Amino acid sequence: MPDLESLCRALGERVTFVVTTEEAIRHADLKPLSAWVEHQPSWSDLPFIVLTQRGGGPERNPAAARVSEILRNVTFFERPFHATSFISIAKTARRARARQYEALGRMEELSEGERRLQTALRAGRLGSWEYDLATGVLVTSDVCKAVFGRNPDDSFTDTELLGTIHPDDRGTMQSLIDKAISSGEDFELECRTIWQDSSPHWAEFRGRAVRDRHGNVSRIVGVSSDITARKIAEKELIELNGTLEDRVVERTLELHDAHQSLLAQVKQREIAEEQLRQAQKMEAIGHLTGGVAHDFNNLLMAVLGNLDLLRKHCMNDPKATRLIDGALKGAQRGAALTQRLLAFARRQDLKVEPVDLIELVRGMNDLLRRSVGSNIQLNYDLPAALPPVLADANQIELALLNLVVNSRDAISKSGEIGIGLQKMEVAASTQDLTAGTYVVMSVRDNGQGMTPETLERAIDPFFSTKELGKGTGLGLSMIHGLAVQLKGALRLSSSTGAGTKAELWLPVSTGSKSSANPGVEVSPEIVEAKFRILMVDDDALIAMSTVDMLEDLGHEVIEAHSGKDALEILEAGEEVDLLITDYSMPKMTGAELAKAARLLKPGLPVLIATGYADLPPGMDIDIPRLAKPYTQADLASHIAKALAN
């Protein structure tokens, strides 16, 4: 660098070390350089090597003290010197800088781990807390405060926490904490709490003692959750059991037959309670799975969008094209996995219409035969005619393929798989079906079958009996979610050594089978025209990818990162032909932004992009939806249709 001003402009986090002469900085204004050194990130301590004629000690070089104070991490190297000596000191500076980069990487890993932990805690409605024994300071998360009826901004000390515990449970809690401090053991506690409005509640504590490097307990950390609803249900159940027991005693004294009838009712109640617990578990997992799939769709959006553009710019490089195609296929497999997750969570986008299952099964014959191989015989039992069912043809094809592949994997060497269709009447509502007419699609195999324990867990997400790497455990759970969403059911029957039978019950449609939707007629002028588009997304990575795709299509793009910013742009009088907005944004959703934008500019075309499969119910605005992840071709097609409408 010719001067210090140029040096300061060139400095940055990627600079490994700086070499300068003492003459270059002896009489120079070092304030800009001192300011840069002062404002380095906490992990950074940039090494400086100063070449001097008089050594670096203050007795020989009084100016060295000033330079050392300003540059901090400085090494004085006296001239003349041998090249080997300089290389050695340069390597030392480089190693020191490398350790700083390593520290940065670890800090970023810790930060990412903390974000994931907080996401998991919020998803599980668990409040985290930490108590420092030395300082007596209690640190709690917002969710933890909410468990005890406090607002996020309220103070919540250890004394205040103990004050919320019911007096009858306070001693038990204190003794458990004391025992954890003395022995280092984990503890669990369910106790009553009294909120500030005097309302009674229940909370569950789980804590663990943390030792310092000397082996002494220094902190206690843990989680808490609100179990009030569960305790109320348990109390009601106990009261109900007490009532039923009294009735049993009475009827036993009266009549033996009445006693047997009551025992049957108790048994049914136990079955219903178990079904309720299973339903609650699956619902909770479904909510979590749907959220994960939404976030994964957003991540895939950035990956697919950038790869799509990158492929266009590397068309003349066969190796780069092959690598990009491989990455695209991997990302597309990830998108398919999110569809399975959304299907399990019953939140995938279904295009429900009358479907002829006979035609659908026959059309899949070649695909199914290739999937099972030559050692397995594929048999069909299809009637001459069946009424159409209300379903999504693509999802039913995927479900049938999954069932056939599962049957193939259950057959060790050779065997048979039977696919059947039949019309069935349900006279009275059951636990999984309402009364009505159904078409049942069945897949039966003569494979190894399932044990009762395996059959009970077969539709649980991520449960699989296949070896590692040969199944996600989402096939049957996806089909179950699809069936429930279509108001049907998935029924499984199996026994060890006797094979398995899967039945997909689908409700009959009252209308006739419809042809494919003709879609919106888009003129060539709209496809080829270039428009001014307002792009809104709070995720900078996705916004950047989408803006690049739009500009690559030739459109002029105005970028905003919130609904508020977008409205300010429209209020300023900016002329736009189309508004593209993400749905899930803080403070203002995409739907709310669309309504506000159309108040400012009536008739403004709007396109909503979302990682969720479908938008929440109750939206009283008709807006085309662009599902994430999307490619540049998808984006261009939806823009043309939105403007044609």
Side-chain angles (χ1 to χ4, degrees):
M1 299 295 170
D3 50 41
L4 282 178
E5 183 179 354
S6 301
L7 173 63
C8 290
R9 287 197 299 269
L11 291 177
E13 294 181 2
R14 295 294 96 189
V15 175
T16 303
F17 60 87
V18 176
V19 181
T20 183
T21 63
E22 182 184 12
E23 291 80 3
I25 61 176
R26 180 182 299 161
H27 302 296
D29 182 7
L30 299 183
K31 289 182 180 179
L33 185 58
S34 175
W36 188 93
V37 172
E38 180 70 24
H39 292 91
Q40 290 182 90
S42 59
W43 60 269
S44 176
D45 189 14
L46 180 64
F48 287 84
I49 300 174
V50 178
L51 307 180
T52 178
Q53 294 283 8
R54 296 175 293 170
E59 66 282 350
R60 296 183 59 191
N61 188 357
R66 169 175 173 261
V67 174
S68 297
E69 182 179 354
I70 292 175
L71 302 183
R72 296 184 179 178
N73 186 6
V74 60
T75 301
F76 292 93
F77 195 49
E78 187 172 2
R79 297 175 291 183
F81 52 79
H82 194 275
T84 303
S85 301
F86 180 77
I87 292 173
S88 175
I89 199 170
K91 287 182 177 179
T92 301
R94 185 179 65 181
R95 285 195 297 270
R97 190 61 167 170
R99 287 193 293 271
Q100 295 174 23
Y101 291 147
E102 182 181 352
L104 172 62
R106 291 178 179 176
M107 290 168 61
E108 291 174 343
E109 289 175 1
L110 289 173
S111 177
E112 178 64 21
E114 176 66 18
R115 285 194 293 272
R116 291 179 179 175
L117 174 60
Q118 292 303 320
T119 299
L121 289 174
R122 285 194 297 270
R125 297 181 181 177
L126 296 174
S128 61
W129 53 268
E130 178 178 336
Y131 181 64
D132 191 312
L133 298 180
T135 62
V137 174
L138 176 69
V139 179
T140 57
S141 66
D142 293 346
V143 177
C144 182
K145 290 181 180 180
V147 171
F148 300 95
R150 302 300 177 98
N151 295 319
D153 297 331
D154 293 346
S155 67
F156 199 49
T157 64
D158 58 333
T159 303
E160 290 171 327
L161 184 146
L162 197 59
T164 64
I165 307 301
H166 193 282
D168 294 344
D169 297 337
R170 203 170 294 165
T172 302
M173 179 177 180
Q174 189 64 58
S175 64
L176 285 174
I177 293 176
D178 293 342
K179 183 178 180 182
I181 295 173
S182 60
S183 65
E185 296 179 356
D186 297 351
F187 69 88
E188 297 181 11
L189 173 66
E190 293 181 357
C191 62
R192 292 163 289 179
T193 61
I194 307 298
W195 286 13
Q196 290 179 316
D197 60 1
S198 301
S199 59
H201 295 266
W202 280 86
E204 180 182 43
F205 284 91
R206 294 177 183 266
R208 167 166 292 184
V210 179
R211 299 181 183 274
D212 58 20
R213 59 190 180 91
H214 302 295
N216 300 320
V217 176
S218 61
R219 293 175 294 141
I220 301 179
V221 299
V223 294
S224 58
S225 58
D226 190 336
I227 59 172
T228 305
R230 193 189 80 195
K231 285 295 184 179
I232 292 175
E234 289 176 356
K235 181 181 178 181
E236 293 175 350
L237 184 59
I238 291 172
E239 293 174 351
L240 178 60
N241 282 336
T243 303
L244 289 175
E245 289 171 2
D246 292 341
R247 292 172 61 189
V248 168
V249 172
E250 276 181 28
R251 298 201 177 188
T252 302
L253 295 175
E254 294 174 0
L255 221 165
H256 177 72
D257 291 341
H259 173 65
Q260 294 298 323
S261 175
L262 183 57
L263 289 178
Q265 293 179 26
V266 173
K267 182 63 177 177
Q268 288 298 320
R269 189 191 75 242
E270 292 175 350
I271 294 173
E273 289 169 1
E274 178 61 27
Q275 292 171 347
L276 176 61
R277 282 192 291 270
Q278 290 296 322
Q280 289 171 338
K281 179 187 73 173
M282 298 298 284
E283 185 68 21
I285 297 176
H287 283 299
L288 177 60
T289 303
V292 170
H294 166 262
D295 293 341
F296 195 34
N297 268 339
N298 275 339
L299 295 175
L300 288 173
M301 175 63 250
V303 174
L304 283 171
N306 287 310
L307 287 174
D308 202 14
L309 286 177
L310 188 58
R311 192 179 189 281
K312 294 177 65 177
H313 292 285
C314 298
M315 294 292 289
N316 297 326
D317 187 340
K319 182 176 180 181
T321 301
R322 176 172 56 83
L323 294 174
I324 294 171
D325 287 344
L328 278 169
K329 290 178 181 177
Q332 288 162 357
R333 289 171 67 179
L337 177 60
T338 61
Q339 287 301 312
R340 292 190 176 193
L341 290 169
L342 290 167
F344 162 70
R346 301 181 222 162
R347 298 171 70 177
Q348 85 275 39
D349 187 16
L350 295 183
K351 298 178 181 178
V352 179
E353 60 183 3
V355 176
D356 185 343
L357 287 185
I358 298 176
E359 179 182 333
L360 183 145
V361 172
R362 287 174 176 166
M364 293 184 65
N365 177 59
D366 291 341
L367 174 62
L368 296 177
R369 291 193 181 277
R370 286 196 302 270
S371 299
V372 300
S374 58
N375 294 331
I376 297 176
Q377 178 67 36
L378 199 58
N379 301 319
Y380 291 95
D381 182 11
L382 307 179
L386 279 175
V389 298
L390 278 175
D392 182 320
N394 292 330
Q395 295 294 333
I396 296 300
E397 289 177 351
L398 180 60
L400 177 57
L401 181 60
N402 264 292
L403 292 175
V404 171
V405 169
N406 281 348
S407 294
R408 177 203 66 188
D409 293 341
I411 298 173
S412 57
K413 294 182 179 179
S414 61
E416 296 182 358
I417 297 176
I419 301 175
L421 293 172
Q422 61 177 324
K423 178 181 174 183
M424 298 289 289
E425 298 288 341
V426 177
S429 298
T430 63
Q431 67 180 56
D432 57 351
L433 292 172
T434 59
T437 305
Y438 295 83
V439 171
V440 182
M441 181 171 67
S442 61
V443 177
R444 181 196 300 271
D445 64 69
N446 59 353
Q448 59 189 7
M450 292 184 282
T451 64
E453 294 77 14
T454 301
L455 181 62
E456 186 176 353
R457 298 186 58 194
I459 64 171
D460 286 357
F462 306 109
F463 174 76
S464 177
T465 58
K466 300 176 183 178
E467 61 184 274
L468 186 64
K470 290 194 175 181
T472 62
L474 287 171
L476 289 177
S477 62
M478 179 273 291
I479 299 171
H480 168 74
L482 171 68
V484 173
Q485 196 170 5
L486 293 174
K487 303 187 184 307
L490 173 65
R491 293 179 175 179
L492 301 174
S493 58
S494 182
S495 59
T496 305
T500 301
K501 181 180 181 181
E503 294 181 338
L504 183 58
W505 292 63
L506 299 170
V508 167
S509 169
T510 56
S512 59
K513 179 181 179 297
S514 62
S515 59
N517 292 330
V520 178
E521 194 70 32
V522 181
S523 65
E525 290 80 6
I526 291 181
V527 175
E528 297 175 2
K530 309 305 177 187
F531 300 99
R532 202 158 191 254
I533 299 174
L534 176 57
M535 170 64 201
V536 189
D537 199 306
D538 63 310
D539 190 312
L541 192 61
I542 296 175
M544 178 183 68
S545 173
T546 305
V547 168
D548 288 342
M549 286 193 287
L550 290 171
E551 290 179 343
D552 187 65
L553 290 170
H555 301 299
E556 181 183 352
V557 184
I558 304 173
E559 185 177 349
H561 296 288
S562 68
K564 179 183 176 183
D565 294 344
L567 290 178
E568 289 176 354
I569 291 172
L570 293 175
E571 289 171 349
E574 290 283 354
E575 291 297 328
V576 295
D577 301 306
L578 174 67
L579 168 63
I580 302 178
T581 175
D582 181 34
Y583 175 76
S584 181
M585 297 187 296
K587 296 184 179 180
M588 179 182 290
T589 67
E592 293 168 342
L593 170 60
K595 292 180 181 179
R598 284 184 173 174
L599 289 176
L600 292 173
K601 294 184 178 295
L604 175 65
V606 180
L607 189 60
I608 284 190
T610 176
Y612 284 117
D614 47 4
L615 299 182
M619 282 184 51
D620 54 351
I621 183 170
D622 183 18
I623 303 175
R625 183 179 60 81
L626 176 60
K628 295 179 182 177
Y630 50 81
T631 63
Q632 188 180 39
D634 296 331
L635 185 60
S637 173
H638 280 75
I639 289 174
K641 291 180 181 179
L643 291 168
N645 283 330

